[in-house]
Amino acid sequence: MDKRPALPRVIGHRGAMSYAPENTLAGFREAARRGVTWIEFDTRLSADGVAVIIHDARLERTTSGRGPVAGTCFGKIAGLDAGAWFAPEFAGERVPRLDEAVRLAGELGLGVNIELKPNRQHQRELASAVLEVLAEGWPRHLPPALLSSFDRKVLAALRKLGSPWPSGLLVKSLPRNWHRQVAVFGCSCVNAAHDRLSRADAQAVKSRGFVLGAYTLDDPARARELFGWGVDAVFSNAPDVVMAGLNGI
Ligand code: G3P
Ligand code: MG
């Protein structure tokens, strides 16, 4: 195992989605303003193969558009509003491209966990597009990005394409064969749903030397408990609240 990500205790989930529209540049700025040092965001491909920052497979929930992201060309996505749904003061926010998100992270000094969300059968295309953007525009002063996915074919594609980036296996519950999976995909990190993670799971992952993340929580007491189990990092929608409640641990 190599390429371990240098995660902080608290990572801003989709930016800082309690305070600003998720997966937008405004959200990333808000996370930095609140003292966050790493953010997580989601990326998927538009119909014409542009890596864009959006969580859902469809446009409706977080933009003014309709239809599947994978069925919409970037030219159309670029004209959508991705902020007004959250609050009027964010009207005019756009769906960022991955290269724009990475450039801003560099300007803000934010470490980045990029979660790759493929459409069916486009795992290799997504992995390839992400690697290409990072190869061209990664801000070298940042720690290496962590690339993570629930999709095993994406993780396999990253490995096959020779990704130089740390990779993370995303799971809800820790599968019984997690250790075989991380070995096959060359992952150095496991990120699991905090409410399905047990102390024994955490100890199993940590005792084998893997980095362990837990998503998504806003309660500092729960974060302290997880850190006591050996969890390295938690993902939070209100990362400043969690950080403030850690008392320096
Ligand atoms: O990467 C942690 C978390 O973001 C995974 O779930 O659905 O919020 O992307 P989701
Ligand atoms: Mg995510």
Side-chain angles (χ1 to χ4, degrees):
M1 187 205 337
D2 57 350
K3 299 184 291 187
R4 287 163 55 93
L7 302 184
R9 284 296 202 194
V10 184
I11 297 171
H13 186 231
R14 307 183 203 171
M17 66 179 275
S18 290
Y19 308 116
E22 64 185 62
N23 287 328
T24 63
L25 300 185
F28 304 158
R29 289 191 190 94
E30 184 63 21
R33 201 179 68 74
R34 289 175 183 264
V36 167
T37 57
W38 273 63
I39 53 169
E40 181 264 5
F41 56 72
D42 308 288
T43 192
R44 50 175 72 248
L45 291 181
S46 65
D48 46 348
V50 178
V52 292
I53 310 305
I54 187 166
H55 179 273
D56 295 4
R58 296 185 62 89
L59 294 161
E60 280 84 348
R61 182 177 63 86
T62 59
T63 79
S64 54
R66 297 179 63 79
V69 176
T72 310
C73 285
F74 179 69
K76 190 154 182 204
I77 294 174
L80 301 176
D81 190 301
W85 70 275
F86 185 86
E89 63 266 32
F90 291 106
E93 264 322 292
R94 302 294 172 200
V95 175
R97 291 189 315 265
L98 176 60
D99 63 297
E100 295 173 318
V102 160
R103 190 176 326 119
L104 180 63
E107 288 167 21
L108 297 171
L110 287 174
V112 168
N113 172 200
I114 303 172
E115 184 189 337
L116 285 74
K117 290 194 182 289
N119 311 306
R120 262 171 300 160
Q121 294 159 1
H122 286 87
Q123 288 92 348
R124 189 184 166 92
E125 288 84 347
L126 176 61
S128 174
V130 168
L131 292 179
E132 193 178 317
V133 168
L134 298 187
E136 281 175 12
W138 182 252
R140 292 184 182 279
H141 60 284
L142 292 182
L146 169 64
L147 307 188
S148 61
S149 190
F150 286 104
D151 192 296
R152 310 307 197 253
K153 288 186 181 164
V154 165
L155 296 173
L158 287 170
R159 182 156 224 199
K160 196 159 182 205
L161 291 164
S163 168
W165 306 94
S167 64
L169 175 70
L170 260 170
V171 296
K172 290 197 170 114
S173 306
L174 190 70
R176 216 186 312 212
N177 68 349
W178 70 272
H179 191 242
R180 194 176 65 77
Q181 293 193 38
V182 290
V184 167
F185 303 131
C187 295
S188 54
C189 175
V190 178
N191 290 336
H194 87 92
D195 50 358
R196 299 203 193 175
L197 188 72
S198 67
R199 182 194 288 266
D201 290 336
Q203 283 168 350
V205 173
K206 291 309 299 173
S207 68
R208 291 188 185 245
F210 290 85
V211 174
L212 178 60
Y215 62 87
T216 302
L217 58 109
D218 300 331
D219 175 9
R222 176 61 174 158
R224 283 198 301 273
E225 180 177 41
L226 291 165
F227 294 138
W229 293 357
V231 167
D232 295 292
V234 298
F235 295 81
S236 178
N237 299 326
D240 55 338
V241 171
V242 177
M243 289 188 293
L246 291 184
N247 305 325
I249 69 163

PDB file of all heavy atoms in Angstrom, residues 178-203:
ATOM      1  N   TRP A 178     -13.593  -6.362   2.551  1.00  0.00           N
ATOM      2  CA  TRP A 178     -13.027  -5.040   2.259  1.00  0.00           C
ATOM      3  C   TRP A 178     -11.523  -5.116   2.000  1.00  0.00           C
ATOM      4  O   TRP A 178     -11.004  -4.396   1.139  1.00  0.00           O
ATOM      5  CB  TRP A 178     -13.304  -4.063   3.420  1.00  0.00           C
ATOM      6  CG  TRP A 178     -12.523  -4.363   4.667  1.00  0.00           C
ATOM      7  CD1 TRP A 178     -12.886  -5.193   5.673  1.00  0.00           C
ATOM      8  CD2 TRP A 178     -11.224  -3.863   5.006  1.00  0.00           C
ATOM      9  NE1 TRP A 178     -11.914  -5.241   6.628  1.00  0.00           N
ATOM     10  CE2 TRP A 178     -10.882  -4.435   6.246  1.00  0.00           C
ATOM     11  CE3 TRP A 178     -10.331  -2.983   4.394  1.00  0.00           C
ATOM     12  CZ2 TRP A 178      -9.677  -4.162   6.883  1.00  0.00           C
ATOM     13  CZ3 TRP A 178      -9.124  -2.701   5.015  1.00  0.00           C
ATOM     14  CH2 TRP A 178      -8.808  -3.296   6.247  1.00  0.00           C
ATOM     15  N   HIS A 179     -10.852  -5.991   2.719  1.00  0.00           N
ATOM     16  CA  HIS A 179      -9.390  -6.005   2.600  1.00  0.00           C
ATOM     17  C   HIS A 179      -8.966  -6.519   1.234  1.00  0.00           C
ATOM     18  O   HIS A 179      -8.001  -6.031   0.643  1.00  0.00           O
ATOM     19  CB  HIS A 179      -8.777  -6.843   3.731  1.00  0.00           C
ATOM     20  CG  HIS A 179      -7.302  -6.668   3.808  1.00  0.00           C
ATOM     21  ND1 HIS A 179      -6.414  -7.695   3.625  1.00  0.00           N
ATOM     22  CD2 HIS A 179      -6.561  -5.556   3.992  1.00  0.00           C
ATOM     23  CE1 HIS A 179      -5.174  -7.222   3.706  1.00  0.00           C
ATOM     24  NE2 HIS A 179      -5.247  -5.936   3.939  1.00  0.00           N
ATOM     25  N   ARG A 180      -9.720  -7.482   0.710  1.00  0.00           N
ATOM     26  CA  ARG A 180      -9.417  -7.962  -0.633  1.00  0.00           C
ATOM     27  C   ARG A 180      -9.689  -6.853  -1.657  1.00  0.00           C
ATOM     28  O   ARG A 180      -8.923  -6.626  -2.590  1.00  0.00           O
ATOM     29  CB  ARG A 180     -10.267  -9.189  -0.963  1.00  0.00           C
ATOM     30  CG  ARG A 180      -9.781  -9.940  -2.193  1.00  0.00           C
ATOM     31  CD  ARG A 180     -10.589 -11.195  -2.429  1.00  0.00           C
ATOM     32  NE  ARG A 180     -11.984 -10.925  -2.748  1.00  0.00           N
ATOM     33  CZ  ARG A 180     -12.414 -10.508  -3.939  1.00  0.00           C
ATOM     34  NH1 ARG A 180     -11.567 -10.319  -4.913  1.00  0.00           N
ATOM     35  NH2 ARG A 180     -13.691 -10.281  -4.140  1.00  0.00           N
ATOM     36  N   GLN A 181     -10.789  -6.112  -1.454  1.00  0.00           N
ATOM     37  CA  GLN A 181     -11.130  -5.042  -2.399  1.00  0.00           C
ATOM     38  C   GLN A 181     -10.066  -3.947  -2.424  1.00  0.00           C
ATOM     39  O   GLN A 181      -9.636  -3.524  -3.494  1.00  0.00           O
ATOM     40  CB  GLN A 181     -12.481  -4.430  -2.042  1.00  0.00           C
ATOM     41  CG  GLN A 181     -13.640  -5.392  -2.227  1.00  0.00           C
ATOM     42  CD  GLN A 181     -14.979  -4.673  -2.178  1.00  0.00           C
ATOM     43  OE1 GLN A 181     -15.137  -3.564  -2.663  1.00  0.00           O
ATOM     44  NE2 GLN A 181     -15.967  -5.319  -1.594  1.00  0.00           N
ATOM     45  N   VAL A 182      -9.636  -3.493  -1.267  1.00  0.00           N
ATOM     46  CA  VAL A 182      -8.637  -2.413  -1.284  1.00  0.00           C
ATOM     47  C   VAL A 182      -7.327  -2.909  -1.893  1.00  0.00           C
ATOM     48  O   VAL A 182      -6.607  -2.143  -2.545  1.00  0.00           O
ATOM     49  CB  VAL A 182      -8.397  -1.786   0.111  1.00  0.00           C
ATOM     50  CG1 VAL A 182      -9.603  -0.982   0.552  1.00  0.00           C
ATOM     51  CG2 VAL A 182      -8.015  -2.810   1.144  1.00  0.00           C
ATOM     52  N   ALA A 183      -7.044  -4.203  -1.709  1.00  0.00           N
ATOM     53  CA  ALA A 183      -5.820  -4.743  -2.311  1.00  0.00           C
ATOM     54  C   ALA A 183      -5.940  -4.760  -3.832  1.00  0.00           C
ATOM     55  O   ALA A 183      -5.022  -4.346  -4.552  1.00  0.00           O
ATOM     56  CB  ALA A 183      -5.554  -6.154  -1.774  1.00  0.00           C
ATOM     57  N   VAL A 184      -7.098  -5.207  -4.317  1.00  0.00           N
ATOM     58  CA  VAL A 184      -7.310  -5.286  -5.771  1.00  0.00           C
ATOM     59  C   VAL A 184      -7.229  -3.892  -6.407  1.00  0.00           C
ATOM     60  O   VAL A 184      -6.639  -3.716  -7.473  1.00  0.00           O
ATOM     61  CB  VAL A 184      -8.685  -5.939  -6.073  1.00  0.00           C
ATOM     62  CG1 VAL A 184      -9.074  -5.744  -7.533  1.00  0.00           C
ATOM     63  CG2 VAL A 184      -8.649  -7.418  -5.715  1.00  0.00           C
ATOM     64  N   PHE A 185      -7.812  -2.901  -5.744  1.00  0.00           N
ATOM     65  CA  PHE A 185      -7.878  -1.567  -6.341  1.00  0.00           C
ATOM     66  C   PHE A 185      -6.698  -0.670  -5.957  1.00  0.00           C
ATOM     67  O   PHE A 185      -6.591   0.451  -6.447  1.00  0.00           O
ATOM     68  CB  PHE A 185      -9.189  -0.872  -5.943  1.00  0.00           C
ATOM     69  CG  PHE A 185     -10.413  -1.662  -6.321  1.00  0.00           C
ATOM     70  CD1 PHE A 185     -11.413  -1.900  -5.403  1.00  0.00           C
ATOM     71  CD2 PHE A 185     -10.549  -2.184  -7.609  1.00  0.00           C
ATOM     72  CE1 PHE A 185     -12.538  -2.644  -5.744  1.00  0.00           C
ATOM     73  CE2 PHE A 185     -11.669  -2.929  -7.965  1.00  0.00           C
ATOM     74  CZ  PHE A 185     -12.662  -3.159  -7.025  1.00  0.00           C
ATOM     75  N   GLY A 186      -5.868  -1.127  -5.066  1.00  0.00           N
ATOM     76  CA  GLY A 186      -4.728  -0.307  -4.654  1.00  0.00           C
ATOM     77  C   GLY A 186      -5.130   0.894  -3.815  1.00  0.00           C
ATOM     78  O   GLY A 186      -4.451   1.920  -3.815  1.00  0.00           O
ATOM     79  N   CYS A 187      -6.229   0.757  -3.090  1.00  0.00           N
ATOM     80  CA  CYS A 187      -6.686   1.879  -2.249  1.00  0.00           C
ATOM     81  C   CYS A 187      -5.860   1.928  -0.958  1.00  0.00           C
ATOM     82  O   CYS A 187      -5.484   0.886  -0.412  1.00  0.00           O
ATOM     83  CB  CYS A 187      -8.144   1.701  -1.853  1.00  0.00           C
ATOM     84  SG  CYS A 187      -9.285   1.765  -3.246  1.00  0.00           S
ATOM     85  N   SER A 188      -5.640   3.149  -0.465  1.00  0.00           N
ATOM     86  CA  SER A 188      -4.966   3.299   0.822  1.00  0.00           C
ATOM     87  C   SER A 188      -5.931   3.813   1.878  1.00  0.00           C
ATOM     88  O   SER A 188      -5.552   4.021   3.025  1.00  0.00           O
ATOM     89  CB  SER A 188      -3.796   4.273   0.679  1.00  0.00           C
ATOM     90  OG  SER A 188      -4.254   5.495   0.130  1.00  0.00           O
ATOM     91  N   CYS A 189      -7.181   4.015   1.479  1.00  0.00           N
ATOM     92  CA  CYS A 189      -8.159   4.683   2.354  1.00  0.00           C
ATOM     93  C   CYS A 189      -9.511   4.010   2.193  1.00  0.00           C
ATOM     94  O   CYS A 189      -9.867   3.555   1.099  1.00  0.00           O
ATOM     95  CB  CYS A 189      -8.232   6.149   1.907  1.00  0.00           C
ATOM     96  SG  CYS A 189      -9.452   7.154   2.729  1.00  0.00           S
ATOM     97  N   VAL A 190     -10.251   3.936   3.290  1.00  0.00           N
ATOM     98  CA  VAL A 190     -11.633   3.447   3.277  1.00  0.00           C
ATOM     99  C   VAL A 190     -12.494   4.533   3.906  1.00  0.00           C
ATOM    100  O   VAL A 190     -12.172   5.015   5.003  1.00  0.00           O
ATOM    101  CB  VAL A 190     -11.773   2.142   4.099  1.00  0.00           C
ATOM    102  CG1 VAL A 190     -13.226   1.680   4.125  1.00  0.00           C
ATOM    103  CG2 VAL A 190     -10.871   1.040   3.549  1.00  0.00           C
ATOM    104  N   ASN A 191     -13.560   4.925   3.218  1.00  0.00           N
ATOM    105  CA  ASN A 191     -14.496   5.890   3.775  1.00  0.00           C
ATOM    106  C   ASN A 191     -15.856   5.218   3.923  1.00  0.00           C
ATOM    107  O   ASN A 191     -16.434   4.761   2.934  1.00  0.00           O
ATOM    108  CB  ASN A 191     -14.615   7.130   2.868  1.00  0.00           C
ATOM    109  CG  ASN A 191     -13.346   7.960   2.886  1.00  0.00           C
ATOM    110  OD1 ASN A 191     -12.573   7.907   3.838  1.00  0.00           O
ATOM    111  ND2 ASN A 191     -13.115   8.726   1.839  1.00  0.00           N
ATOM    112  N   ALA A 192     -16.363   5.169   5.154  1.00  0.00           N
ATOM    113  CA  ALA A 192     -17.589   4.425   5.450  1.00  0.00           C
ATOM    114  C   ALA A 192     -18.623   5.348   6.097  1.00  0.00           C
ATOM    115  O   ALA A 192     -18.275   6.357   6.718  1.00  0.00           O
ATOM    116  CB  ALA A 192     -17.264   3.278   6.407  1.00  0.00           C
ATOM    117  N   ALA A 193     -19.904   4.961   5.975  1.00  0.00           N
ATOM    118  CA  ALA A 193     -20.977   5.716   6.634  1.00  0.00           C
ATOM    119  C   ALA A 193     -20.802   5.593   8.149  1.00  0.00           C
ATOM    120  O   ALA A 193     -20.719   4.477   8.674  1.00  0.00           O
ATOM    121  CB  ALA A 193     -22.331   5.175   6.206  1.00  0.00           C
ATOM    122  N   HIS A 194     -20.769   6.712   8.828  1.00  0.00           N
ATOM    123  CA  HIS A 194     -20.448   6.671  10.269  1.00  0.00           C
ATOM    124  C   HIS A 194     -21.483   5.900  11.067  1.00  0.00           C
ATOM    125  O   HIS A 194     -21.159   5.245  12.060  1.00  0.00           O
ATOM    126  CB  HIS A 194     -20.294   8.101  10.815  1.00  0.00           C
ATOM    127  CG  HIS A 194     -21.575   8.724  11.268  1.00  0.00           C
ATOM    128  ND1 HIS A 194     -22.010   8.640  12.561  1.00  0.00           N
ATOM    129  CD2 HIS A 194     -22.533   9.399  10.591  1.00  0.00           C
ATOM    130  CE1 HIS A 194     -23.176   9.269  12.663  1.00  0.00           C
ATOM    131  NE2 HIS A 194     -23.512   9.735  11.474  1.00  0.00           N
ATOM    132  N   ASP A 195     -22.751   5.948  10.609  1.00  0.00           N
ATOM    133  CA  ASP A 195     -23.800   5.298  11.396  1.00  0.00           C
ATOM    134  C   ASP A 195     -23.895   3.800  11.121  1.00  0.00           C
ATOM    135  O   ASP A 195     -24.746   3.113  11.679  1.00  0.00           O
ATOM    136  CB  ASP A 195     -25.153   5.994  11.161  1.00  0.00           C
ATOM    137  CG  ASP A 195     -25.466   6.172   9.692  1.00  0.00           C
ATOM    138  OD1 ASP A 195     -24.635   5.810   8.836  1.00  0.00           O
ATOM    139  OD2 ASP A 195     -26.567   6.681   9.396  1.00  0.00           O
ATOM    140  N   ARG A 196     -23.020   3.311  10.252  1.00  0.00           N
ATOM    141  CA  ARG A 196     -22.976   1.855  10.032  1.00  0.00           C
ATOM    142  C   ARG A 196     -21.624   1.291  10.429  1.00  0.00           C
ATOM    143  O   ARG A 196     -21.345   0.116  10.195  1.00  0.00           O
ATOM    144  CB  ARG A 196     -23.224   1.540   8.566  1.00  0.00           C
ATOM    145  CG  ARG A 196     -24.580   2.019   8.084  1.00  0.00           C
ATOM    146  CD  ARG A 196     -24.985   1.212   6.887  1.00  0.00           C
ATOM    147  NE  ARG A 196     -26.117   1.806   6.210  1.00  0.00           N
ATOM    148  CZ  ARG A 196     -26.599   1.337   5.082  1.00  0.00           C
ATOM    149  NH1 ARG A 196     -26.030   0.290   4.502  1.00  0.00           N
ATOM    150  NH2 ARG A 196     -27.629   1.911   4.520  1.00  0.00           N
ATOM    151  N   LEU A 197     -20.796   2.148  10.986  1.00  0.00           N
ATOM    152  CA  LEU A 197     -19.434   1.729  11.338  1.00  0.00           C
ATOM    153  C   LEU A 197     -19.407   1.314  12.812  1.00  0.00           C
ATOM    154  O   LEU A 197     -19.934   2.025  13.670  1.00  0.00           O
ATOM    155  CB  LEU A 197     -18.484   2.913  11.113  1.00  0.00           C
ATOM    156  CG  LEU A 197     -16.999   2.647  11.226  1.00  0.00           C
ATOM    157  CD1 LEU A 197     -16.501   1.838  10.027  1.00  0.00           C
ATOM    158  CD2 LEU A 197     -16.229   3.975  11.300  1.00  0.00           C
ATOM    159  N   SER A 198     -18.785   0.186  13.098  1.00  0.00           N
ATOM    160  CA  SER A 198     -18.633  -0.242  14.483  1.00  0.00           C
ATOM    161  C   SER A 198     -17.196  -0.006  14.930  1.00  0.00           C
ATOM    162  O   SER A 198     -16.293   0.175  14.102  1.00  0.00           O
ATOM    163  CB  SER A 198     -18.965  -1.731  14.617  1.00  0.00           C
ATOM    164  OG  SER A 198     -17.982  -2.499  13.929  1.00  0.00           O
ATOM    165  N   ARG A 199     -17.018  -0.044  16.228  1.00  0.00           N
ATOM    166  CA  ARG A 199     -15.652   0.078  16.765  1.00  0.00           C
ATOM    167  C   ARG A 199     -14.763  -1.053  16.208  1.00  0.00           C
ATOM    168  O   ARG A 199     -13.606  -0.816  15.854  1.00  0.00           O
ATOM    169  CB  ARG A 199     -15.696   0.008  18.295  1.00  0.00           C
ATOM    170  CG  ARG A 199     -14.349   0.181  18.948  1.00  0.00           C
ATOM    171  CD  ARG A 199     -14.414  -0.232  20.403  1.00  0.00           C
ATOM    172  NE  ARG A 199     -15.147   0.713  21.223  1.00  0.00           N
ATOM    173  CZ  ARG A 199     -14.592   1.713  21.915  1.00  0.00           C
ATOM    174  NH1 ARG A 199     -13.298   1.885  21.875  1.00  0.00           N
ATOM    175  NH2 ARG A 199     -15.326   2.512  22.640  1.00  0.00           N
ATOM    176  N   ALA A 200     -15.341  -2.250  16.100  1.00  0.00           N
ATOM    177  CA  ALA A 200     -14.556  -3.389  15.586  1.00  0.00           C
ATOM    178  C   ALA A 200     -14.159  -3.156  14.123  1.00  0.00           C
ATOM    179  O   ALA A 200     -13.037  -3.473  13.719  1.00  0.00           O
ATOM    180  CB  ALA A 200     -15.365  -4.672  15.718  1.00  0.00           C
ATOM    181  N   ASP A 201     -15.084  -2.594  13.331  1.00  0.00           N
ATOM    182  CA  ASP A 201     -14.751  -2.269  11.934  1.00  0.00           C
ATOM    183  C   ASP A 201     -13.564  -1.306  11.896  1.00  0.00           C
ATOM    184  O   ASP A 201     -12.615  -1.485  11.125  1.00  0.00           O
ATOM    185  CB  ASP A 201     -15.920  -1.554  11.240  1.00  0.00           C
ATOM    186  CG  ASP A 201     -17.120  -2.440  10.984  1.00  0.00           C
ATOM    187  OD1 ASP A 201     -16.950  -3.670  10.914  1.00  0.00           O
ATOM    188  OD2 ASP A 201     -18.223  -1.876  10.839  1.00  0.00           O
ATOM    189  N   ALA A 202     -13.675  -0.261  12.705  1.00  0.00           N
ATOM    190  CA  ALA A 202     -12.625   0.770  12.703  1.00  0.00           C
ATOM    191  C   ALA A 202     -11.282   0.149  13.088  1.00  0.00           C
ATOM    192  O   ALA A 202     -10.250   0.418  12.450  1.00  0.00           O
ATOM    193  CB  ALA A 202     -12.999   1.905  13.660  1.00  0.00           C
ATOM    194  N   GLN A 203     -11.326  -0.690  14.096  1.00  0.00           N
ATOM    195  CA  GLN A 203     -10.065  -1.306  14.542  1.00  0.00           C
ATOM    196  C   GLN A 203      -9.489  -2.218  13.459  1.00  0.00           C
ATOM    197  O   GLN A 203      -8.279  -2.267  13.254  1.00  0.00           O
ATOM    198  CB  GLN A 203     -10.279  -2.057  15.850  1.00  0.00           C
ATOM    199  CG  GLN A 203     -10.364  -1.078  17.022  1.00  0.00           C
ATOM    200  CD  GLN A 203     -10.860  -1.718  18.314  1.00  0.00           C
ATOM    201  OE1 GLN A 203     -11.318  -2.854  18.314  1.00  0.00           O
ATOM    202  NE2 GLN A 203     -10.783  -0.960  19.396  1.00  0.00           N
TER     203      GLN A 203
END
